[in-house]
Amino acid sequence: RLTTFVLTPVFFSTLTIILVYLVSYKIYRSDVLSIIASLLYATIPLFVAAGRITKGDCLLALVLISTVLCILKYAECKKKQYVIFAGLLAGVSFWCKEIGICALVIMPVLFGRRGLIKEAGISAGIGVFVALGYLLYNYLINPHAFFKILSLYSAHQSRPSFNMVVTYIRDPKIVLSYAGFGMGYLLWCWFVLVYSMGKRDATVPITAFIFLMTVCVLVQDTLPFGWYIMPLYPFMAIAGGLFLRDFISRPNTAKALLLLLVLMAVPLKEILPGELYRSPWLFRGYLAIGIIPFLAFDFRKNRITGIVAKTTCYIYISLAIMMNVYIVYHLQDLYDPLK
């Protein structure tokens, strides 16, 4: 709530909304996709709750997506300053948080996939130089404390396991409280990330994969908190915008069911009064009525059923966004810095 959130992460996450729009447009060249992606990042309660709390992770999300934007800008206009900016931002990512070192891998991979091998090497060199500056900075402040912290980190370094990987993929935990609404959103976000792998431009899935692998290798398994994947939220929103854009352009029953069962059902459960959300007949009626426009379009493709299906797509997406806004407005405290 306004009485307990921290202003710094709110500022970072608000700037990230703009970058979500810019990056998604640079990748997919679609205003509809970019607007939907921005709205998803700005309204999904799990993303909003995270954007109120942690400074380092929100800053890393901002820096990481800014790095990707610089790569896309250089590929578009070939201005050398974007190579330099990309390298600097990748190095700064490590200053934000240790898992930010993933940017030193993401950046040359994205450059290399576009055939920009020279630029990949230059930017990687700049990034490594800036990242090493962080270690030098800490050493110069207090050499004794620096080596002591390194030894402690080595002693408590995580031991990656399959159980740990599953925990970070499924865990909607934010600080010390579980986000009860979070599991459904995460389920949908992981699905759309996988969906984005089938597209020609692999910027989003490559970034997500390298980041997730870095988290699983570097983060201690004694602290399975959901904040470690917060820098991935902007890319989840972009992948969600891609899925919904494709849903609008090519509506069908299968995609409609995914939307009805997860993206709309999760917030609907939160806003239904009392125990009404447990009613099986209400749920059956909701599904039956919800898929009628898409069943009609699948079985009889013509101009009228196409218009009805696409209009229904816009209505469903609008309803999902409005329900998210309602939940965010009534979001309970997950963290109180005064306690």
Side-chain angles (χ1 to χ4, degrees):
R1 295 196 178 281
L2 291 173
T3 55
T4 57
F5 70 51
V6 186
L7 286 176
T8 305
V10 170
F11 175 72
F12 292 150
S13 56
T14 302
L15 286 181
T16 306
I17 296 172
I18 301 171
L19 290 173
V20 166
Y21 178 90
L22 294 175
V23 169
S24 56
Y25 185 80
K26 292 292 181 187
I27 297 173
Y28 300 108
R29 299 294 175 180
S30 170
D31 287 317
V32 172
L33 188 158
S34 302
I35 292 170
I36 293 174
S38 302
L39 286 173
L40 288 175
Y41 185 73
T43 62
I44 286 182
L46 184 64
F47 297 176
V48 176
R52 295 177 176 183
I53 298 171
T54 58
K55 301 179 183 72
D57 298 277
C58 287
L59 178 58
L60 178 56
L62 178 64
V63 173
L64 189 59
I65 198 169
S66 299
T67 305
V68 174
L69 179 61
C70 287
I71 296 169
L72 297 172
K73 288 285 289 182
Y74 179 79
E76 181 183 56
C77 66
K78 296 296 187 293
K79 291 185 178 179
K80 294 181 180 180
Q81 58 262 38
Y82 289 115
V83 176
I84 299 172
F85 290 153
L88 291 173
L89 288 168
V92 169
S93 294
F94 186 59
W95 287 66
C96 300
K97 207 154 191 177
E98 62 176 1
I99 57 174
I101 199 170
C102 67
L104 298 177
V105 180
I106 293 169
M107 178 184 54
V109 169
L110 293 181
F111 270 126
R113 278 186 60 85
R114 288 165 171 77
L116 304 170
I117 306 301
K118 179 181 177 182
E119 289 80 357
I122 294 172
S123 58
I126 295 172
V128 170
F129 178 78
V130 175
L132 290 175
Y134 176 69
L135 300 177
L136 179 62
Y137 165 76
N138 283 277
Y139 171 78
L140 292 176
I141 288 179
N142 192 326
H144 176 71
F146 175 74
F147 288 111
K148 186 175 181 179
I149 289 172
L150 281 182
S151 62
L152 289 172
Y153 180 80
S154 299
H156 294 285
Q157 178 62 11
S158 64
R159 297 174 182 175
S161 66
F162 289 106
N163 182 62
M164 180 181 173
V165 174
V166 173
T167 298
Y168 283 110
I169 289 178
R170 74 181 184 186
D171 202 344
K173 195 171 185 179
I174 299 177
V175 290
L176 300 177
S177 301
Y178 276 96
F181 48 78
M183 189 58 216
Y185 288 111
L186 272 184
L187 176 66
W188 188 77
C189 287
W190 290 125
F191 174 84
V192 295
L193 277 177
V194 173
Y195 176 83
S196 69
M197 294 171 63
K199 300 301 174 181
R200 182 173 58 183
D201 193 303
T203 299
V204 170
I206 285 174
T207 303
F209 175 76
I210 296 174
F211 180 86
L212 186 60
M213 291 298 294
T214 306
V215 169
C216 291
V217 170
L218 293 183
V219 175
Q220 294 184 19
D221 54 0
T222 56
L223 299 172
F225 292 157
W227 68 53
Y228 289 117
I229 63 169
M230 288 179 190
L232 204 55
Y233 290 168
F235 300 97
M236 289 177 166
I238 294 172
L242 173 65
F243 176 83
L244 294 177
R245 190 278 309 270
D246 290 350
F247 178 48
I248 293 169
S249 60
R250 294 184 297 276
N252 62 60
T253 306
K255 290 179 181 177
L257 278 173
L258 183 65
L259 189 71
L260 289 166
L261 288 172
V262 184
L263 193 61
M264 288 187 65
V266 171
L268 191 59
K269 171 185 174 293
E270 295 293 321
I271 68 174
L272 284 174
E275 297 292 306
L276 193 59
Y277 70 89
R278 294 182 182 273
S279 170
W281 290 107
L282 179 64
F283 180 70
R284 291 164 187 163
Y286 158 77
L287 282 182
I289 295 172
I291 64 173
I292 285 175
F294 305 99
L295 282 172
F297 181 67
D298 282 342
F299 282 101
R300 189 172 180 84
K301 295 183 182 294
N302 57 46
R303 184 170 176 271
I304 294 175
T305 57
I307 291 174
V308 171
K310 289 191 177 186
T311 303
T312 306
C313 292
Y314 282 110
I315 292 172
Y316 286 178
I317 294 170
S318 300
L319 285 174
I321 296 296
M322 287 189 288
M323 287 190 290
N324 286 338
V325 171
Y326 178 86
I327 294 172
V328 167
Y329 183 76
H330 294 87
L331 197 63
Q332 301 209 355
D333 288 332
L334 294 174
Y335 169 71
D336 188 348
L338 302 179
K339 292 181 180 179

